[in-house]
Amino acid sequence: MELLRLVCAFLLAACCCSRRAAGVPGEAERPVPELVEVEVGSTALLKCGASHSQGNLSHVDWFTVHKEKPTLIFRVRQGQGQSEPGEYQHRLSLQGRGGTLALTQVTPHDERIFLCQSKRPRSQEHRIQLRVYKAPEEPNIQVNVLGIPVNSEEPEEVATCVGRNGYPIPQVIWYKNRRPLKEEKNRVHIQSSQTVESSGLYTLQSVLKAQLVKEDKDSRFYCELNYRLPSGNHMKESREVSVPVFYPTEKVWLEVEPMGVLKEGDHVEIRCLADGNPPPHFSISKQNPSTREMEEQRINDSGVLVLEPAQKEHSGLYECQGLDLQTMASLLSEPQELLVNYVSDVRVSPTAPESQEGGSLTLTCEAESNEALEFQWLREKTGQVLETGPTLQLHNLKREAGGGYRCVASVPSVPGLNRTQLVNVAIFGPPRMAFKERKVWVKENAAWNLSCEASGHPRPIISWNVNGTASEQEQDPQRVLSTLNVLVTPELLETGAECTALNSLGKNTTIFFLELVSLTTLTPDSSKTTGLSSSTVSPHARANSTSTEKKLPEPESKGVVIVAVTVCILVLAVLGAVLYFFYKKGKLPCGRSGKQEITLPPSRKSEFVVEVKSDKLPEEMGLLQGSNGDKRAPGDQGEKYIDLRH
């Protein structure tokens, strides 16, 4: 037996030695392969041994090893490379001096062992393990939109996470409110599966199932994919989602918007709220103040009772009823009191106050409210506050005191809550015209509007002395505006127009003077056939006089100025002639002070000096000149001398 055992060991050793001698790849004792990592789509550089030991590899064979079976894919002979037919035929090339093989467009199918075998200058073998990586796409998460009831007995599907086109298969981690979830019996279950695409990439699908509670109604879920690249470990997160959580209603209550103090005219909404999901079916009731019974109110499609505008009748007691359609349980809210603050219509007495000039009036204002009221009296045309309180006293009334007075009733404790009433005070008097007379620029044979305004009490009636189409507009109870549309004829240009305002206490008129206007002087407004031209009227022509005196415009005469200048020239000419006459006769006395010499040759200068004293104004004296042509200064009003020497 011992001899047989030795013989078998010898034969086994001999067999192994013969296999090593044959050089069959894959059969010899193999070292750990060199690891090369690349991303999908990039180029893998496969080196036949360490860089310092490559040398000049002139005879190399490259193999791929699958299930311990080598397949020749590339040959190197005398530094020249040649691909073998097959899947790598067009993706392999030689780098450097023949010791490095480049594999382009790497795919997941290339993750295998590559073997290089060289025989020159010496026989050697080198194995390379190629690892391929691909980052997955952004994870896509889909939530269970149907929701999860809290009373389910087993975990229900919360969401599904999908990560596509990754390699190798990424790892998925689920989170709730930023905390990782782990498998928990009857509470949390994570079920993952993967699919291999035709490209060799993986698509991962992970389903999260959980048993949720009421507090999970606001929980946020998301998934995370962890994967590796040659650069290291990485991760990608999905968006966060919330799953509908269903739980029964335990409480119902009312909510009023806006919160705080309410007043008439506000937009008010009353809605029911509940702590269950889905919410129950709601109805809103209001207590009838007469019968004390709760009466259901009409609500909109959203279950909201809208009060717009809110009125004092909306004040009262409200309650909400909720019916859970799953459990058919009915719940009532606590009754809630709603108060709408109000101010009633303001009443002023007397309603149509009137008085003679110099008389007095007392105006009284009344209103009701659920809160304390304040009253103010204002002048309508100026907004001036005349009195604080419900009563306004007016004494020694004049025509100007007529017009509008406004009473304002407000609630100080409720900002913006007030009501007003306007009353017009009438003072008896004859009509007053807005203008005594008006000049209107018109175009002949065109239709034109003439406007006449009058005020008084009783309200006056306006009539015209020319034919046309008249229309009236009441400005206020004591003032009226009449507009007459007329055709501008030569006769109308000659006679003009007149409007008359009449009431039981008198009458008054406005006179219109019509003037033709040329196209060059027409303004944009006055060129319109229906436009009313602006008039220039002196303050004395305004409305308070009853006179109908007609004042025609006086033409400006330029002839007066021309005559005055001619007379002045003639007077100066006569004066010059007289002076010359006295000079010739030697009648002019001589003087020394302030004299002016006439420039003559030295031999002709004599003792004769003519002194002229004048009472003329400086302007006239300025017209006199000496023999040298100099004018006198306008301010020089002293004595004037002429020194004549022969």
Side-chain angles (χ1 to χ4, degrees):
M1 272 310 273
E2 186 65 26
L3 180 61
L4 181 59
R5 200 167 16 291
L6 290 173
V7 171
C8 289
F10 175 78
L11 292 175
L12 181 60
C15 180
C16 290
C17 289
S18 63
R19 291 170 69 93
R20 287 195 193 97
V24 178
E27 296 299 330
E29 184 178 349
R30 295 183 293 271
V32 177
E34 177 190 356
L35 182 62
V36 175
E37 297 180 326
V38 294
E39 290 191 52
V40 169
S42 62
T43 299
L45 298 179
L46 309 177
K47 298 180 180 180
C48 190
S51 58
H52 64 273
S53 63
Q54 287 186 28
N56 186 10
L57 301 177
S58 60
H59 190 104
V60 179
D61 292 330
W62 285 90
F63 302 87
T64 60
V65 180
H66 180 63
K67 295 183 178 180
E68 299 302 327
K69 180 182 179 181
T71 301
L72 182 63
I73 59 173
F74 199 83
R75 296 176 184 270
V76 180
R77 298 292 184 269
Q78 301 301 324
Q80 299 296 320
Q82 177 65 44
S83 293
E84 293 293 318
E87 61 176 318
Y88 293 103
Q89 183 175 0
H90 303 292
R91 293 196 291 142
L92 294 174
S93 62
L94 217 58
Q95 298 285 322
R97 293 176 295 176
T100 301
L101 187 65
L103 173 61
T104 61
Q105 296 296 320
V106 172
T107 70
H109 300 295
D110 297 328
E111 187 172 87
R112 57 186 63 181
I113 292 178
F114 290 81
L115 170 66
C116 74
Q117 218 175 47
S118 64
K119 295 184 179 180
R120 299 174 188 172
R122 61 185 181 84
S123 178
Q124 63 179 3
E125 178 180 296
H126 185 70
R127 288 174 175 261
I128 300 171
Q129 175 65 62
L130 183 62
R131 295 287 186 196
V132 180
Y133 298 93
K134 169 69 168 62
E137 299 173 4
E138 293 290 334
N140 179 34
I141 188 170
Q142 297 294 330
V143 70
N144 178 8
V145 295
L146 299 179
I148 300 176
V150 297
N151 54 4
S152 61
E153 297 180 356
E154 300 205 2
E156 298 279 347
E157 179 179 331
V158 176
T160 300
C161 179
V162 178
R164 300 184 182 279
N165 298 323
Y167 192 88
I169 303 172
Q171 180 186 6
V172 63
I173 301 177
W174 282 94
Y175 289 83
K176 182 178 81 170
N177 298 329
R178 294 286 171 178
R179 293 185 178 181
L181 292 172
K182 296 182 178 180
E183 288 273 355
E184 186 177 346
K185 187 176 182 180
N186 296 329
R187 295 286 298 170
V188 178
H189 179 59
I190 300 173
Q191 181 180 353
S192 299
S193 61
Q194 58 273 347
T195 303
V196 182
E197 308 293 344
S198 59
S199 61
L201 301 176
Y202 289 103
T203 293
L204 173 69
Q205 177 174 291
S206 180
V207 179
L208 172 65
K209 295 182 178 182
Q211 199 172 42
L212 302 182
V213 295
K214 180 179 178 180
E215 289 70 26
D216 289 323
K217 61 185 177 66
D218 298 320
S219 295
R220 311 286 292 177
F221 297 88
Y222 70 94
C223 63
E224 174 187 284
L225 297 181
N226 290 327
Y227 57 94
R228 189 179 182 281
L229 296 178
S231 58
N233 293 324
H234 299 267
M235 65 91 171
K236 290 183 178 180
E237 294 179 344
S238 72
R239 61 186 177 90
E240 293 185 336
V241 296
S242 291
V243 62
V245 179
F246 302 133
Y247 43 90
T249 300
E250 298 176 357
K251 183 180 179 182
V252 175
W253 66 94
L254 276 173
E255 184 180 81
V256 179
E257 290 183 358
M259 300 178 63
V261 179
L262 303 178
K263 64 180 182 297
E264 280 190 316
D266 286 346
H267 176 92
V268 180
E269 294 185 357
I270 304 175
R271 58 170 48 87
C272 292
L273 298 175
D275 61 355
N277 189 34
H281 174 75
F282 293 120
S283 61
I284 299 176
S285 300
K286 178 181 180 292
Q287 187 180 59
N288 188 314
S290 301
T291 64
R292 317 300 290 180
E293 296 289 333
M294 301 300 294
E295 298 177 352
E296 187 172 342
Q297 305 294 300
R298 179 178 296 180
I299 59 179
N300 61 19
D301 295 338
S302 301
V304 178
L305 176 60
V306 179
L307 310 178
E308 185 183 21
Q311 300 174 359
K312 67 176 183 178
E313 292 79 11
H314 293 139
S315 298
L317 200 64
Y318 290 82
E319 71 176 12
C320 175
Q321 183 177 20
L323 176 63
D324 193 322
L325 298 179
Q326 293 185 352
T327 63
M328 299 308 293
S330 179
L331 297 172
L332 279 177
S333 69
E334 291 290 333
Q336 184 168 333
E337 185 76 29
L338 183 72
L339 175 62
V340 178
N341 295 281
Y342 70 94
V343 175
S344 68
D345 291 335
V346 178
R347 303 176 299 279
V348 175
S349 59
T351 57
E354 55 185 13
S355 173
Q356 301 289 341
E357 285 194 79
S360 300
L361 277 176
T362 300
L363 304 180
T364 304
C365 187
E366 295 179 342
E368 289 81 34
S369 174
N370 61 306
E371 297 287 343
L373 282 172
E374 284 187 359
F375 295 91
Q376 276 188 334
W377 285 95
L378 289 79
R379 190 71 161 105
E380 177 68 9
K381 66 172 69 173
T382 63
Q384 177 186 3
V385 177
L386 302 177
E387 187 65 63
T388 299
T391 302
L392 175 64
Q393 298 282 347
L394 300 175
H395 301 287
N396 193 21
L397 291 169
K398 293 182 171 53
R399 286 283 294 269
E400 292 74 13
Y405 292 81
R406 185 174 294 276
C407 175
V408 180
S410 60
V411 178
S413 60
V414 184
L417 179 56
N418 60 72
R419 287 209 178 188
T420 69
Q421 179 62 47
L422 177 67
V423 63
N424 281 289
V425 173
I427 308 298
F428 287 101
R432 287 187 177 182
M433 311 304 291
F435 297 96
K436 175 184 176 182
E437 58 186 32
R438 301 190 71 174
K439 180 183 288 186
V440 181
W441 298 96
V442 298
K443 291 199 303 183
E444 191 171 1
N445 298 322
W448 222 260
N449 282 343
L450 304 178
S451 293
C452 181
E453 183 177 333
S455 62
H457 184 69
R459 186 167 70 87
I461 298 173
I462 294 180
S463 60
W464 296 83
N465 70 335
V466 294
N467 293 328
T469 303
S471 61
E472 286 192 359
Q473 181 180 357
E474 183 177 334
Q475 304 295 91
D476 59 47
Q478 284 80 48
R479 189 160 53 99
V480 64
L481 175 68
S482 177
T483 302
L484 180 70
N485 185 264
V486 295
L487 179 65
V488 180
T489 62
E491 294 79 9
L492 185 62
L493 287 170
E494 179 69 25
T495 61
E498 183 178 297
C499 75
T500 302
L502 176 68
N503 69 4
S504 59
L505 300 179
K507 70 176 181 178
N508 208 337
T509 61
T510 295
I511 301 174
F512 291 86
F513 302 105
L514 306 184
E515 298 285 345
L516 286 178
V517 61
S518 64
L519 293 177
T520 57
T521 58
L522 268 177
T523 63
D525 291 335
S526 63
S527 64
K528 299 178 183 177
T529 59
T530 59
L532 179 62
S533 70
S534 61
S535 60
T536 305
V537 182
S538 67
H540 304 290
R542 286 287 177 179
N544 299 332
S545 173
T546 59
S547 171
T548 60
E549 178 183 357
K550 184 173 182 179
K551 183 184 290 185
L552 295 175
E554 297 180 2
E556 181 182 358
S557 177
K558 297 183 180 178
V560 176
V561 178
I562 297 173
V563 171
V565 172
T566 304
V567 171
C568 290
I569 294 174
L570 292 175
V571 171
L572 291 175
V574 172
L575 179 61
V578 172
L579 291 175
Y580 182 75
F581 173 77
F582 281 106
Y583 162 69
K584 283 293 185 178
K585 295 294 183 179
K587 300 293 184 179
L588 293 175
C590 298
R592 293 293 179 185
S593 66
K595 61 186 177 181
Q596 178 181 359
E597 293 187 358
I598 299 176
T599 305
L600 292 173
S603 61
R604 297 192 59 184
K605 290 184 179 179
S606 67
E607 68 279 3
F608 292 101
V609 176
V610 178
E611 178 181 353
V612 180
K613 293 185 179 180
S614 175
D615 295 326
K616 296 293 182 179
L617 294 175
E619 298 89 314
E620 297 178 4
M621 294 304 298
L623 298 175
L624 296 177
Q625 300 185 28
S627 61
N628 60 356
D630 294 336
K631 290 185 178 180
R632 293 291 182 181
D636 186 3
Q637 300 185 29
E639 295 179 346
K640 313 298 177 184
Y641 297 94
I642 301 177
D643 188 2
L644 302 176
R645 298 181 183 180
H646 300 281

